[in-house]
Amino acid sequence: MTETDSNAYDVVVLGAGPVGENVADRTRAAGLSTAVVESELVGGECSYWACMPSKALLRPVIAHADARRLPGLSRAVQGPLDASAVLARRDEYTSHWKDDGQVGWIEGIGADLYRGHGRLTAPRTVEVTAPDGTRRTLTAHHAVAVCTGTRAQLPDLPGLAGVRPWTSREATSAEAAPARLIVVGGGVVATEMATAWQALGSRVTLLVRGKGLLNRMEPFAGELVAEALTEAGAEVRTGTSVESVTRENGTVIVTTGAGERLEADEILFATGRAPRTDDIGLENVGLEPGSWLPVDDSLRVRGTDWLYAVGDVNHRALLTHQGKYQARIAGAAIASRASGETADLETQEPWSAHAASADHAAVPQVVFTDPEAASVGLSLAEAEQAGHRVRAVDVDFSSVAGAGLYADGYRGRARMVVDLEDEILRGVTFVGPGVGELIHSATVAVAGQVPVSRLWHAVPSYPTLSEVWLRLLEAYRDN
C-alpha cells in the first residue's frame, strides 16, 4: 500500500446513496467544496437493491391484480405474469447494476468522487482505501457527513452462513423465482417480497414471530395484507419462530419452535436492519463502532461540532424519502454554520429550514403490497402512549363511490387519529388498492397541523378514492 497526499475540502460525505448525494448537492449549491466517498455503487441501496428494484418487481404484480378485478379485463389477464419480462424491466431500473449515470451526476454538481472504503482517523479527517489498496487522506474544514445507511441484520442461528440465505439484496436481484420460498419476518420487506415472488411463481411461506404483519402500523393494515396474501396462495404463519436452518442437497430445511420441519428452495430473512457504522473509524472520534448515531434536529451528532449522521444511520426514520429530507436539512445547516449564520440553528424552532421536525410528527410510509398500506404520523396506540387525548375515526372504503369504480370487490379501510384538544390530526392510515397516492394529502394535513374545521373546506373530487376524506370527517362529526 502507498500513501498519497492529503486533500482538503469544506465537506466530506461518507456514502453516495440518495442521502449522501443530496447532502453533497446542497453543500455544493452553497459553494462549499465537497468530496463524496463510496465503497460500492454510486446511488446506494435504494437504487440497486431496495426501493427501485422492489417497486419494479411489484408494479406489474399490482397492475395485474387490479386488472383481474375489472370486468372487461379480467378474462384477458387470467394467466400468470411473464416473470422474465418483469425481471428484465427490473434490470433496466437498476441500470443493470452499473452506476455510470449517477457518477456523471456527482461530477455534474462539481463534487469529487473517491471510490473506496472511508474511515474516520481523527476529527474532520477521513482516510480512503481505494480498491487497488492505495490510501488517500481527506480533511474537512467544516463537516463530515456519515450517510452509510444500513445493512440487513441476520439472526444468530448456528450455521446460517453456510445456508446462503437471501437478504433484501438477493430478494430484489434474484434472476429467477424459486419454486418454494420461505420468508422470515412480518415487516415491509417481508410482505412486499412475499407479494412479489408469490405472483412471479414461487410458493411462499411467511413465518412471523409475532401476532401479525406490519406491526408498526394500525392492526387492521396487517390483517388486510395477510388476508390478501393468503388468498393469493401464500401461507402466513404467525407466532412461529425459527430455531434452526440447514441446507441439504440444495434444499433449505427449517425447524420451527414447535419442532415442525419445513422445506424450501430459498429462504429470505427480513428480520431488521443494522447501521453500517462498524468499520468507519468511529472509535477514533470517541464513538462506538457499529452503533446508531444520535443527532439533534440539524442532524449533527450529539457532542460534536463537525460530525453529521444523515439517513438510516441515525435511526430516526429508516426510509429513503425521510433520509433525503434529512439531507436537505443537514446540507442547509452545514452551509449556515459555515457562513456563521447560526441563530435559527441554535433556537431550532419547529418547521424551520434547519430542523428535521417531520421525523417526529409526520413520517409517511407506503407498503406496496396488494392491497397497499399507507400511513403518516402516529397510530392510535402511539398517540395514546405519547399522552395525547385522541379518538380514532374509522371508515370502510365501501362507502366511497370511487372505490367501487376502481375495482369490483374493492376492500379497504381508513383511519384518522384526531387530537381532541387541538382538533388536529395526529395520524392517518389507509389500506386498499391505490392508496399510496392518497397518503401525501394526509401528510400535508398532519405536517401542517390543519384544523379539522378547515379540512371540511378541502373538497375531494368525485368520484375518486380521495372522497374517503369526506367520509372520515362525517364519521367524526356524527359520533
Side-chain angles (χ1 to χ4, degrees):
M1 296 183 182
T2 60
E3 189 81 27
T4 59
D5 60 325
S6 174
N7 292 81
Y9 291 88
D10 291 318
V11 180
V12 175
V13 179
L14 284 182
V19 175
E21 288 177 328
N22 274 271
V23 172
D25 188 35
R26 292 306 168 110
T27 56
R28 283 297 302 129
L32 300 177
S33 60
T34 302
V36 181
V37 181
E38 177 54 57
S39 61
E40 294 186 295
L41 294 176
V42 175
E45 200 79 12
C46 179
S47 297
Y48 305 103
W49 300 287
C51 320
M52 298 306 289
S54 67
K55 304 316 169 278
L57 290 173
L58 285 160
R59 179 60 196 140
V61 173
I62 302 304
H64 188 238
D66 284 344
R68 294 176 73 170
R69 300 185 187 106
L70 286 172
L73 273 178
S74 57
R75 286 189 180 181
V77 293
Q78 284 305 307
L81 287 168
D82 183 342
S84 61
V86 173
L87 295 174
R89 183 171 184 265
R90 183 270 321 267
D91 294 351
E92 289 293 325
Y93 268 89
T94 60
S95 301
H96 298 273
W97 289 274
K98 295 179 181 178
D99 63 1
D100 298 9
Q102 304 228 40
V103 170
W105 182 87
I106 284 185
E107 293 172 346
I109 66 170
D112 291 341
L113 174 65
Y114 292 87
R115 288 193 181 275
H117 181 68
R119 298 186 82 254
L120 292 160
T121 56
R124 296 183 172 85
T125 306
V126 174
E127 182 183 79
V128 183
T129 303
D132 64 3
T134 59
R135 293 178 178 173
R136 184 182 297 272
T137 299
L138 310 179
T139 59
H141 182 63
H142 293 295
V144 173
V146 176
C147 309
T148 49
T150 57
R151 56 176 172 77
Q153 187 171 38
L154 291 171
D156 186 16
L157 291 173
L160 184 60
V163 176
R164 303 182 306 282
W166 280 10
T167 67
S168 53
R169 284 196 170 194
E170 289 77 19
T172 57
S173 61
E175 296 181 357
R180 300 165 299 173
L181 174 65
I182 289 175
V183 179
V184 182
V188 176
V189 172
T191 53
E192 287 190 347
M193 290 299 95
T195 298
W197 290 110
Q198 177 69 36
L200 290 171
S202 297
R203 189 165 75 248
V204 173
T205 301
L206 197 60
L207 305 181
V208 187
R209 181 187 294 270
K211 295 180 180 180
L213 306 181
L214 303 176
N215 60 15
R216 294 188 178 181
M217 287 186 166
E218 299 285 7
F220 65 82
E223 292 165 5
L224 288 170
V225 170
E227 288 175 11
L229 278 169
T230 301
E231 290 176 5
E235 183 177 2
V236 181
R237 299 189 179 198
T238 58
T240 303
S241 62
V242 174
E243 298 300 314
S244 68
V245 183
T246 59
R247 191 181 286 269
E248 301 173 9
N249 299 319
T251 298
V252 175
I253 310 296
V254 172
T255 303
T256 70
E260 189 174 6
R261 176 185 165 105
L262 305 176
E263 295 186 359
D265 298 285
E266 299 291 351
I267 184 168
L268 162 63
F269 280 92
T271 49
R273 309 289 296 180
R276 294 184 64 182
T277 60
D278 49 321
D279 189 23
I280 61 169
L282 291 183
E283 67 278 8
N284 296 321
V285 294
L287 297 169
E288 181 181 352
S291 65
W292 303 101
L293 297 175
V295 296
D296 62 21
D297 280 352
S298 71
L299 290 312
R300 189 165 62 175
V301 175
R302 297 189 185 280
T304 76
D305 63 0
W306 59 274
L307 185 63
Y308 292 74
V310 193
D312 285 7
V313 290
N314 60 41
H315 208 230
R316 288 164 68 109
L318 276 65
L319 296 160
T320 297
H321 47 272
Q322 288 299 122
K324 292 167 70 173
Y325 159 74
Q326 291 177 13
R328 296 190 292 271
I329 300 292
I334 292 168
S336 290
R337 288 189 171 115
S339 67
E341 299 174 3
T342 60
D344 189 35
L345 289 160
E346 298 307 323
T347 58
Q348 288 293 295
E349 295 195 5
W351 313 116
S352 81
H354 304 124
S357 53
D359 290 345
H360 308 299
V363 175
Q365 181 171 24
V366 180
V367 185
F368 293 87
T369 45
D370 176 35
E372 290 177 347
S375 67
V376 63
L378 304 177
S379 67
L380 174 61
E382 289 169 338
E384 290 175 337
Q385 289 167 6
H388 300 296
R389 190 168 69 87
V390 293
R391 179 177 137 213
V393 181
D394 293 355
V395 299
D396 194 281
F397 269 94
S398 61
S399 64
V400 178
L405 288 168
Y406 190 98
D408 284 2
Y410 187 106
R411 284 184 292 174
R413 185 174 170 187
R415 167 175 288 181
M416 65 180 188
V417 178
V418 183
D419 187 307
L420 297 175
E421 295 181 357
D422 296 332
E423 285 263 300
I424 60 174
L425 305 187
R426 293 292 177 184
V428 180
T429 299
F430 301 124
V431 182
V435 298
E437 298 300 334
L438 276 180
I439 200 61
H440 191 60
S441 60
T443 303
V444 170
V446 174
Q449 299 181 348
V450 181
V452 171
S453 61
R454 291 296 300 153
L455 287 175
W456 276 103
H457 302 284
V459 182
S461 297
Y462 179 88
T464 65
L465 292 177
S466 61
E467 200 178 14
V468 72
W469 279 108
L470 177 58
R471 302 296 170 238
L472 285 165
L473 291 165
E474 289 173 338
Y476 178 67
R477 177 197 62 191
D478 297 340
N479 295 286

